[in-house]
Amino acid sequence: MQNIKLTIDHAYGFVSKTSIENYKDIANQANRALHEGTGKGSDFLGWLNLPSSIDEAHLTDIENTAAILRENCEVVVVIGIGGSYLGAKAVIDALSNSFDWLQTNRKSPAVVYAGQNISEDYLYELQELLKTKKFGIISISKSGTTTEPALAFRLLRTQLEQQQGKADAQKLIVTVTDKARGALRTLAVQEGYKTYVLEDDIGGRYSVLSPVGLLPIAVAGFDIRKLVQGAVSMEQLCGVNIPFEDNPAAQYAAVRNELYKSGRKIEILVNYHPKLHFVSEWWKQLYGESEGKDHVGIFPAAVDFTTDLHSMGQWIQEGERTIFETVISVQESNHTVLVPKDAANLDGLNFLAGKRVDEVNKMAELGTLLAHVDGGVPNLKIELPQLNEYYLGQLLYFFEKACGISGYILGVNPFDQPGVEAYKKNMFALLGKPGFEEETKAIRLRTKN
Ligand code: PA5
């Protein structure tokens, strides 16, 4: 097995090599603070050694639960929002056939999502679809009180019980929630649902390698053992004793902090494969929620190239120079498509005849990188040898570890999200939730409602 590789050469010229080397001590200190539990938010470090602490019994248990859902369901609905669904969707999309939803001879249930929005049309259309399907539910909420998934779970649980009867429905519902608190825990205990615990010390956005991610990924038919193996290897490669020069997480944390200090306020994560779109969505949450606080933090954005070169390309090439890019580059495609020769050559593409489509994609990637660097955009690159479970496991853990180090270098607590509560308080007040009477009065005065 190879390893994913970070290259920062195309950031030099914007920040100096010496300035990055100067991060050695602070990055090492941040890494030590994570491992010694001496930094901010140290009660949320359960993700740090999670990959290497996953044992055989745990994996087998998840695989057995997944097998029950796989045998009995055409569709499995994963209910969750934010960290409670993005990791699973990132991995499942990255590994699935791009036209998975059109396949008729499926070997695995289709995994669909709910509770990640409150759109009535979305829920109506999902309920209509499920009327003719054998379906199961994985309901994920650490707090067990988040409105969006709770609402979706109420609707879909009721539908499943009506379609299957309560006893059968009970076997097709699995929950992942906190050990002791929250409405989902109470419900799961009362109804006797199979339940996995998301430990107190693992925040949602760091939970992809817990049952939150592993169970849906196993249901979709992917090898969670290889995913975990990849993460374990990256846990070692970014370990506390790995020197700064050899530690990709410490290097990434250092270079993005130095770029931020030099006025690069926006990081754009770039991919050249549309199936990586949700890896970017997962990454956006991880970095946005971890670093965007105390009125500081890089704004995490993402694009899918070459698609978005035809929409955002102009801005990136010539807009305000406050951005840098981090490119996820997949070295070897999983399939081969050759450009055919055409005798008439009316489209003028015979210069590509016999080449792989991936070679065209790679030249677009290199050409874009050079053009963007020439246009004043620092570029970092993360190379994945191939798109498979192992390297995705490496990538996910790499980003998590780098995020912890980066947040500490920035001086914030990368494990809390106090700002997420503000909208909830207003929504509850507007909806008249018991306990929010004072807020309701204040909002009425403000909105004259
Ligand atoms: O990262 C986080 O903590 C959040 O994104 C949560 O995962 C999200 O808000 C959902 O919370 P819960 O799992 O408690 O329903």
Side-chain angles (χ1 to χ4, degrees):
M1 280 294 180
Q2 304 170 57
N3 297 311
I4 66 166
K5 187 175 147 209
L6 172 75
T7 316
I8 59 176
D9 296 355
H10 292 287
Y12 297 142
F14 301 96
V15 289
S16 71
K17 213 168 179 173
T18 318
S19 72
I20 302 302
E21 283 161 6
N22 287 343
Y23 275 84
K24 182 178 171 168
D25 290 343
I26 181 172
N28 285 342
Q29 240 173 45
N31 201 357
R32 262 201 314 279
L34 286 172
H35 284 270
E36 290 167 4
T38 52
K40 291 180 182 171
S42 58
D43 42 350
F44 279 96
L45 292 171
W47 57 273
L48 192 62
N49 301 313
L50 177 64
S52 58
S53 66
I54 296 174
D55 62 21
E56 173 62 32
H58 184 58
L59 287 173
T60 305
D61 185 51
I62 291 177
E63 285 166 344
N64 290 343
T65 304
I68 295 172
L69 293 173
R70 286 169 60 78
E71 276 157 29
N72 294 289
C73 303
E74 295 166 270
V75 177
V76 171
V77 188
V78 173
I79 298 179
I81 195 165
S84 290
Y85 95 103
L86 282 169
K89 183 153 173 63
V91 174
I92 293 170
D93 281 12
L95 296 173
S96 294
N97 184 300
S98 305
F99 306 98
D100 194 48
W101 48 281
L102 279 178
Q103 308 276 338
T104 42
N105 290 329
R106 307 184 58 89
K107 292 200 189 87
S108 302
V111 175
V112 300
Y113 302 86
Q116 83 283 35
N117 61 61
I118 328 176
S119 162
E120 190 163 352
D121 285 348
Y122 184 95
L123 285 164
Y124 173 86
E125 286 158 14
L126 178 58
Q127 287 197 293
E128 284 299 300
L129 172 91
L130 295 175
K131 274 183 185 164
T132 57
K133 306 280 183 218
K134 285 166 68 183
F135 75 98
I137 299 172
I138 303 174
S139 187
I140 305 171
S141 176
K142 183 178 180 191
S143 64
T145 56
T146 309
T147 308
E148 291 92 333
L151 186 59
F153 189 37
R154 177 184 281 213
L155 287 165
L156 298 179
R157 182 167 43 92
T158 308
Q159 181 172 353
L160 186 59
E161 286 173 359
Q162 279 162 3
Q163 281 178 216
Q164 297 278 343
K166 207 165 159 68
D168 280 355
Q170 187 247 14
K171 296 184 197 116
L172 299 174
I173 295 176
V174 182
T175 63
V176 185
T177 189
D178 172 82
K179 202 179 326 189
R181 296 174 301 248
L184 184 57
R185 159 68 49 192
T186 313
L187 192 64
V189 170
Q190 189 173 309
E191 299 293 332
Y193 300 142
K194 168 80 178 171
T195 298
Y196 290 93
V197 170
L198 176 56
E199 298 295 342
D200 282 348
D201 58 359
I202 303 177
R205 60 188 177 274
Y206 292 85
S207 69
V208 56
L209 297 163
S210 78
V212 169
L214 296 182
L215 179 61
I217 293 166
V219 166
F222 299 112
D223 190 337
I224 55 173
R225 287 169 191 265
K226 290 208 178 108
L227 187 82
V228 171
Q229 274 165 22
V232 171
S233 74
M234 193 46 62
E235 192 184 315
Q236 287 153 5
L237 291 167
C238 300
V240 70
N241 294 320
I242 305 296
F244 175 71
E245 309 71 44
D246 302 327
N247 189 325
Q251 292 264 327
Y252 179 55
V255 72
R256 60 197 301 285
N257 268 280
E258 183 60 10
L259 285 165
Y260 180 60
K261 257 175 48 189
S262 73
R264 305 290 168 162
K265 306 287 186 196
I266 301 163
E267 178 175 7
I268 305 177
L269 192 69
V270 176
N271 71 68
Y272 282 82
H273 294 272
K275 52 175 72 178
L276 290 175
H277 179 85
F278 264 86
V279 168
S280 298
E281 294 302 309
W282 172 83
W283 171 89
K284 272 159 62 180
Q285 187 205 356
L286 180 63
Y287 280 79
E289 217 165 67
S290 298
E291 294 193 321
K293 53 197 65 162
D294 308 336
H295 296 172
V296 297
I298 294 171
F299 183 82
V303 287
D304 302 326
F305 284 169
T306 60
T307 312
D308 292 336
L309 282 171
H310 298 259
S311 57
M312 296 301 291
Q314 171 60 36
W315 199 101
I316 296 170
Q317 188 69 44
E318 295 184 345
E320 195 181 47
R321 302 296 74 182
T322 47
I323 56 173
F324 67 98
E325 289 175 304
T326 299
V327 180
I328 298 181
S329 176
V330 179
Q331 296 308 288
E332 188 57 45
S333 281
N334 285 325
H335 304 286
T336 303
V337 177
L338 297 176
V339 180
K341 196 166 169 56
D342 185 291
N345 194 28
L346 293 177
D347 54 12
L349 287 182
N350 270 354
F351 72 103
L352 297 177
K355 289 191 196 301
R356 287 181 66 175
V357 171
D358 193 53
E359 191 180 336
V360 183
N361 204 21
K362 287 284 186 316
M363 291 310 107
E365 182 182 319
L366 181 57
T368 304
L369 183 141
L370 296 174
H372 287 181
V373 169
D374 290 347
V377 182
N379 262 248
L380 316 177
K381 187 164 32 167
I382 300 163
E383 286 171 55
L384 260 69
Q386 224 180 334
L387 213 43
N388 62 25
E389 288 92 335
Y390 186 85
Y391 296 122
L392 280 171
Q394 284 200 336
L395 185 71
L396 296 172
Y397 187 85
F398 158 76
F399 275 139
E400 287 182 355
K401 186 72 187 275
C403 190
I405 298 175
S406 184
Y408 279 175
I409 294 177
L410 186 64
V412 299
N413 175 354
F415 308 114
D416 66 358
Q417 56 283 330
V420 179
E421 296 309 311
Y423 96 92
K424 293 185 191 168
K425 203 173 70 181
N426 288 345
M427 179 176 75
F428 293 149
L430 287 162
L431 288 167
K433 184 173 179 174
F436 285 79
E437 292 76 11
E438 285 307 309
E439 287 86 351
T440 307
K441 267 191 235 155
I443 284 211
R444 288 223 168 105
L445 279 175
R446 263 178 81 187
T447 59
K448 302 194 176 38
N449 230 326

